[in-house]
């Protein structure tokens, strides 16, 4: 299967630069998984599409202000660091720019000296292991000197950092938002629960690998970056109960989907509490073990994310829905509109 099999034309003006207010007033394309038929709604209409006894699975990972701008110690050379994963103690795996400055032993200064970092190791993938030196809480310091790691295609400055967080974000650690969940408000979630729909949470800390472009023409040659996940006992219980009574398990976002399917793959189709790392790559031909529905945003051409959607809906139906989305002027990517595949 070729990368070019997942290409579609997307006008640049349809890449959303700012979030819709209120959150749940974004548009939503509803796609019938069996037929591919599309209808056009608003996100708050998700309430009408859910049935009592259904289960929504949401990723509660919280984005940290992971982008740091600083200088190499003793020089004026500007550098940029993106925190990807906390390894141990004060060690972080980071993406860095420009890479030639980040040699083992080199030191860098951020926030006028509130934070310094030393390069400990250069990884095969080009990332660096940095040792951080600071006083007090690292996460509190990030709130002061870090910036939200908005994707490169968003050029507009974000006025409110919380608009790049879901309203249920709790577990700090992501370098990017699980964006399908950005459409929910607390009021909408409460209303959904009152209808008899259950909510369950997983944690997958979103790394840069989720969005890293596929550079190989043969998609099976692409290697996914590993990301940390946790599926708690309560969530496993709710999934098993939902399946037993014939309800639908609906993942909010590709990260929730990948967590569920990673656990089911690891445990031979069953769901139990689990924690670990996953680099699962889902593309057409994959047999889903847990999912009955998927809520997601509109993704980049030739990305691993549109390949995952194509695995769930079918490639031809996915590309047809995307062509419709372009024609109907849907907004794409992180701050864009939603698609519900049910």
């Amino acid at each position: 299967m070729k990368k070019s099999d997942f290409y579609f034309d997307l006008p640049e003006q349809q890449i959303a630069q700012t979030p819709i207010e209120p959150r749940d007033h974004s548009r939503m394309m509803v796609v019938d998984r069996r037929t591919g038929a599309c209808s056009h709604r608003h996100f708050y209409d998700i309430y009408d599409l859910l049935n009592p006894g259904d289960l929504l699975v949401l990723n509660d990972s919280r984005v940290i202000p992971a982008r740091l701008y600083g200088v190499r110690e003793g020089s004026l050379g500007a550098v940029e660091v993106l925190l990807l994963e906390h390894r141990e103690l004060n060690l972080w795996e980071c993406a860095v720019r420009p890479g030639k400055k980040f040699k083992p032993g080199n030191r860098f200064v951020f926030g006028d000296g509130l934070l310094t970092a030393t390069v400990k190791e250069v990884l095969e993938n080009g990332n660096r292991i940095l040792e951080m030196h600071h006083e007090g809480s690292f996460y509190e310091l990030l709130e002061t000197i870090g910036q939200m790691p908005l994707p490169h295609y968003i050029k507009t400055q974000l006025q409110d950092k919380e608009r790049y967080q879901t309203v249920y974000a709790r577990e700090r650690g992501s370098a990017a938002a699980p964006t399908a969940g950005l459409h929910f408000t607390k009021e909408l979630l409460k209303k959904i629960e009152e209808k008899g729909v259950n909510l369950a949470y997983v944690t997958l800390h979103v790394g840069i690998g989720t969005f890293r472009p596929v550079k190989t023409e043969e998609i099976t040659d692409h290697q996914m970056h590993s990301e940390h996940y946790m599926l708690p006992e309560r969530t496993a219980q709710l999934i098993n109960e939902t399946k037993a009574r014939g309800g639908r398990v609906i993942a909010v976002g590709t990260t929730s989907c990948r967590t569920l399917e990673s656990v089911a793959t690891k445990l031979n189709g069953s769901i139990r509490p689990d924690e670990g790392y996953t680099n699962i790559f889902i593309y057409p031909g994959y047999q889903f073990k847990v999912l009955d529905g998927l809520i997601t945003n509109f993704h980049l051409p030739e990305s691993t994310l549109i390949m995952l959607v194509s695995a769930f809906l079918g490639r031809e139906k996915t590309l047809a829905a995307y062509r419709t989305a372009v024609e109907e002027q849907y907004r794409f990517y992180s701050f864009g509109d939603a698609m519900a595949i049910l």
Side-chain angles (χ1 to χ4, degrees):
M1 196 167 287
K2 308 289 187 185
K3 177 176 73 169
S4 54
D5 292 334
F6 301 90
Y7 180 80
F8 64 94
D9 284 317
L10 176 65
E12 188 174 345
Q13 63 268 25
Q14 284 181 244
I15 299 174
Q17 294 296 311
T18 55
I20 290 288
E21 296 292 350
R23 289 173 182 257
D24 60 358
H25 279 53
S26 56
R27 295 171 70 196
M28 177 175 65
M29 177 186 286
V30 182
V31 186
D32 186 308
R33 188 182 178 196
R34 293 164 301 171
T35 66
C38 300
S39 61
H40 307 291
R41 312 282 285 271
H42 287 89
F43 193 79
Y44 49 74
D45 294 320
I46 196 70
Y47 173 86
D48 298 320
L49 303 175
L50 299 173
N51 303 322
D54 284 345
L55 178 68
L56 282 182
V57 181
L58 308 107
N59 181 7
D60 66 2
S61 183
R62 185 170 179 82
V63 186
I64 60 175
R67 184 163 278 130
L68 297 167
Y69 295 99
V71 295
R72 183 176 169 186
E73 190 174 63
S75 78
L76 297 177
V79 297
E80 179 183 341
V81 166
L82 180 64
L83 302 169
L84 295 180
E85 184 186 348
H86 182 213
R87 290 293 191 89
E88 56 179 306
L89 299 175
N90 293 321
L91 299 180
W92 282 78
E93 181 178 346
C94 305
V96 299
R97 288 198 305 181
K100 63 184 179 182
K101 293 187 178 181
F102 285 82
K103 296 175 182 176
N106 285 358
R107 288 171 59 89
F108 300 87
V109 180
F110 306 92
D112 295 325
L114 292 174
L115 173 68
T116 59
T118 305
V119 180
K120 304 301 286 186
E121 185 181 351
V122 179
L123 302 179
E124 286 186 11
N125 61 11
N127 293 340
R128 305 302 199 265
I129 299 296
L130 299 184
E131 183 176 13
M132 305 299 179
H133 314 279
H134 57 90
E135 298 290 334
S137 165
F138 183 66
Y139 288 109
E140 288 179 11
L141 178 59
L142 285 184
E143 293 295 335
T144 302
I145 68 173
Q147 295 191 21
M148 292 302 277
L150 293 180
H152 64 87
Y153 49 76
I154 294 178
K155 312 296 184 187
T156 305
Q157 189 71 32
L158 186 64
Q159 299 302 313
D160 178 8
K161 283 184 179 181
E162 286 301 307
R163 281 306 271 112
Y164 196 55
Q165 305 279 14
T166 62
V167 297
Y168 47 82
R170 286 190 295 256
E171 301 294 333
R172 292 183 294 203
S174 275
T179 54
L182 294 178
H183 303 283
F184 285 99
T185 64
K186 290 181 178 179
E187 294 76 19
L188 179 57
L189 287 170
K190 184 171 183 284
K191 187 178 170 186
I192 286 170
E193 280 193 288
E194 289 171 349
K195 186 176 183 177
V197 177
N198 289 311
L199 306 181
Y201 296 91
V202 296
T203 303
L204 183 136
H205 291 315
V206 188
I208 199 168
T210 297
F211 305 99
R212 183 167 282 159
V214 177
K215 295 181 179 178
T216 59
E217 183 57 22
E218 290 286 345
I219 67 170
T220 51
D221 292 335
H222 177 73
Q223 287 293 314
M224 294 286 285
H225 185 82
S226 185
E227 295 165 314
H228 184 255
Y229 70 85
M230 183 174 65
L231 192 151
E233 184 172 354
R234 176 62 176 158
T235 298
Q237 179 185 346
L238 284 168
I239 291 169
N240 290 323
E241 289 175 355
T242 302
K243 288 290 190 182
R245 65 171 173 260
R248 297 179 298 178
V249 175
I250 300 166
V252 177
T254 57
T255 58
S256 298
C257 164
R258 291 175 61 241
T259 302
L260 298 178
E261 295 297 324
S262 294
V263 173
T265 299
K266 178 180 176 182
L267 301 178
N268 296 316
S270 65
I271 289 289
R272 297 194 300 273
D274 193 48
E275 181 175 3
Y277 286 83
T278 181
N279 63 350
I280 191 171
F281 181 14
I282 297 175
Y283 51 86
Y286 177 84
Q287 297 298 310
F288 285 85
K289 302 164 184 65
V290 185
L291 252 63
D292 302 300
L294 176 66
I295 297 170
T296 187
N297 281 18
F298 290 97
H299 304 294
L300 187 72
E302 301 183 332
S303 65
T304 61
L305 302 176
I306 194 173
M307 292 171 191
L308 183 153
V309 174
S310 297
F312 189 67
L313 177 59
R315 188 182 73 91
E316 293 300 328
K317 287 182 282 190
T318 298
L319 291 175
Y322 269 62
R323 286 192 292 270
T324 299
V326 170
E327 292 166 5
E328 296 290 330
Q329 297 288 304
Y330 276 79
R331 303 164 82 244
F332 276 67
Y333 304 167
S334 296
F335 287 143
D337 296 315
M339 172 190 277
I341 306 169
L342 299 168

